[in-house]
DNA sequence: TATGAATGAGCATTCATTCAT
DNA sequence: GATGAATGAATGCTCATTCAT
């Protein structure tokens, strides 16, 4: 088969996932019909099943794709060699999330994926892996911050990474559900919490 | 006269919701069939539709019930007159969430409700109301903490309430998805974060 | 049982039939639900089944009642001893039908009964009996008209009675479906047809 | 390309309508189940819904089809250029109706359609249109008869067309319900009515 | 190869009827 | 008696998937 294969195939797959994501953002995984995905993608039913074995397969691909794109921007943050104060990093990350939520469907579908993980163990595996990536990125960033003295030497890096990931999830949910959270004040609140309790 | 008393009617309704919650915890809202709910509840198809007009109605009742029960314990915390350090309160609340998640279906279904809010405006309204309640409880607690000097005078109470709610949501999601978060270390991390960056 | 029984029972039965007729005029026999009849009658489900064994029974009672009331006025016409010209009688009868159709549900439900006769042999029997009554009335009237010289001596009384009944049915259907037929011009047309063709 | 040609699609549609007509002749519109239609047509449930959006759609298509076929033969009668005596034409038309009723389901279903017009405004529109066609055909025939002197010059063509349509409906109903009407004597009775009343 | 019509099990919901109170 | 909540088989319809063309 000399036709331009793998590259073209991947492109079509992505185009299909993009169409499916638009549908899922509107109706959720299980109220989205294959018929809707087929119409949105402009492909034929047969063609779709040439790229994915089943609707479940598409759901899994969507989950992976969408969570991957949530993570993508975060990775960029960590790549930099210069240490960043964790809360500054958080503000930046929350800003990226707010941007994604304002402009597109990804965060809405990410929430769907978190819910779906509760009933499909494969999706659960994908989600776990993606969340682990985010935590790893945070751990790296936090370590560098601690080395730079931007974080107390006694800080529990693992727990803090969990807290940072949790902040992202909590912020996103409130952004989507309440629509009244702002990256700057949200991140700043962590600072005000500071001296408290001691 | 075989007329149902309001009390009996409410009891049956709750019994039905409880059965439906068990189903939804397993399969999510839209993969749960009425047939499954009927079997789980031990009622007949017709009887179920005597209590709820449609599956959608049940979904909404579940969302309200489940989010209400997530909130219930929190309210208890705020009722106390004695000021509590916010992070101590958080640890306590996360502990309650972990307990609920370990012992029952409520938190799993709460996640479903958050996702469903993205496609059913009625559920979105219910969720907004319930989340607002949680924030209000936090605001009250935070105000009292600030008055007692357990919180910096400059603290942004509204933003902090958002952060506290977000912490609950982020903790719960990670509890369900990763299974490795612990109330004590999670809450403690907030403290270690505190001084940082300044 | 010293309670006023038979009389009261009949009254309640008629009240029930009246309610059911209102429903059937709106939705036809088979789109009318027992629930609707129960609501319209103000009785309880159990009570209704005390008067009629089944929905089918009600349908049959309605058919009989409604066709009986279509016939009632016709009988009055024939009772008179004085001979009437057939076409004058027809105009009068069509006028009565138009009045019934304008003011109430009976003719609409009569059409339902004719249709139902195609699938329920019991209703077919009721309809046959009622139509036979109408024909008999016409036969009597036509005989008297022939004796009085208002009708040709060679007239086929049986066939003419069929034609008169047919005229009533055809007029009613057009009144209900087209709404543009008038008793006077409709009857008059029979006269203009008369001499023709010979 | 397995695309259906318009021709094939229409053929399948008609086959489906034919199957549905057989069911409706037996049980009426609303006691005919989709399941019965599906079985009778030999198609699958899904296929049926590829041709018609709903059961209501099928009912409407049946109404149009059946009333159209009642009309078809009438049109043929009018096409002829030679004037026909109205009562001769009537006898011929009643003969066609009797043939249709003896051999097939069409007239039984036509009666269903007239009844259904009382509750579905779309069916009512279809019926009105089809009845108007019949009247138009009669008007044309009557005009030609009047020109040829087969009808009194003073005859009210519109009213006579109503009477002719009414005769067809009344004859058909009696054919189906009583089974004792004959085209020849029925038409002849109109003649015997002739001199009467003057 | 790509198509889209066909499949049919499965879905949410209805409703005539019953019977415990 | 009278009530109306409960029953559950049956209904109209959907939709993930297949496969003849």
């Amino acid at each position: 088969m000399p036709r331009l294969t793998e590259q073209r195939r991947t492109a079509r797959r992505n185009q299909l996932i993009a169409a499916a994501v638009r549908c899922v953002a509107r109706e959720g995984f299980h109220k989205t019909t294959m018929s809707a995905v087929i119409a949105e993608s402009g492909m034929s039913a047969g063609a779709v099943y040439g790229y994915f074995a089943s609707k479940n397969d598409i759901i899994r691909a969507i989950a992976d794709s969408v969570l991957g794109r949530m993570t993508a921007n975060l990775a960029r943050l960590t790549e930099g060699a210069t240490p960043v104060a964790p809360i500054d990093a958080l503000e930046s990350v929350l800003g990226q999330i707010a941007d994604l939520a304002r402009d597109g469907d990804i965060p809405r579908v990410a929430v769907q994926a978190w819910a779906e993980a509760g009933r499909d163990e494969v999706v659960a595996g994908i989600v776990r892996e993606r969340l682990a990536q985010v935590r790893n990125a945070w751990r790296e960033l936090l370590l560098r911050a601690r080395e730079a003295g931007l974080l107390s030497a006694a800080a529990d890096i693992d727990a803090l990474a969990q807290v940072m990931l949790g902040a992202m999830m909590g912020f996103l949910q409130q952004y989507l559900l309440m629509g009244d959270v702002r990256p700057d004040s949200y991140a700043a609140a962590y600072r005000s919490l500071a001296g408290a309790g001691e």
Side-chain angles (χ1 to χ4, degrees), chain A residues 140-176:
Chain A
E140 225 173 295
L141 188 145
L142 291 165
L143 273 170
R144 238 175 291 165
R146 191 168 62 180
E147 283 164 13
L150 294 166
L151 190 59
S152 113
D156 177 344
I157 296 293
D158 286 343
L160 259 177
Q162 292 172 350
V163 164
M164 287 306 182
L165 169 57
M168 291 166 66
M169 299 177 99
F171 176 83
L172 173 55
Q173 293 273 26
Q174 289 183 77
Y175 188 95
L176 294 175

Side-chain angles (χ1 to χ4, degrees), chain A residues 12-28:
Chain A
R12 292 276 271 170
R13 243 184 95 102
N14 287 339
Q15 170 188 336
L16 193 46
I17 289 175
V21 162
R22 286 193 295 277
C23 297
V24 171
R26 270 183 250 128
E27 292 294 353

Side-chain angles (χ1 to χ4, degrees), chain A residues 81-111:
Chain A
T82 25
V84 194
I87 289 176
D88 293 342
L90 180 63
E91 182 176 339
S92 163
V93 166
L94 298 186
Q96 289 167 3
I97 288 173
D99 290 348
L100 275 176
R102 196 186 328 100
D103 303 341
D105 298 325
I106 292 163
R108 295 170 72 89
V109 177
V111 172

Side-chain angles (χ1 to χ4, degrees), chain A residues 111-131:
Chain A
V111 172
Q112 291 284 326
W114 298 340
E116 182 67 4
R119 58 172 298 278
D120 180 346
E121 196 44 51
V122 176
V123 172
I126 290 165
V127 172
R128 271 194 289 272
E129 198 176 334
R130 291 301 190 174
L131 295 189

